Amino acid sequence: MSRLTWQKSSYSNAAVNCVNVAAAPDGTVRLRESDDPEVILSTTREGLAGLVAVIKGRRGAA
């Protein structure tokens, strides 16, 4: 796997409880939690948008 450029939300604390996100070369989105960076989840952009919509309470959006 190529090297990914990880980013964290500006809403995250300095070093704890952060969710990192990276765009993969194949067009998918990768997610990991800063406390366990070896565990990486993969999803589509649409899947991530749907997750964010549900978290924000807009279940029908995405």
Side-chain angles (χ1 to χ4, degrees):
M1 181 186 310
S2 65
R3 232 172 142 79
L4 300 172
T5 302
W6 293 98
Q7 298 176 344
K8 73 177 179 106
S9 169
S10 59
Y11 292 100
S12 295
N13 294 333
V16 295
N17 300 324
C18 300
V19 173
N20 304 126
V21 64
D26 65 0
T28 61
V29 178
R30 306 296 165 86
L31 302 164
R32 70 179 183 185
E33 204 275 318
S34 61
D35 289 341
D36 196 2
E38 298 301 315
V39 177
I40 299 172
L41 303 175
S42 179
T43 187
T44 62
R45 292 176 188 264
E46 295 81 10
L48 181 57
L51 173 64
V52 171
V54 168
I55 290 170
K56 287 184 172 184
R58 298 189 314 249
R59 296 178 192 271

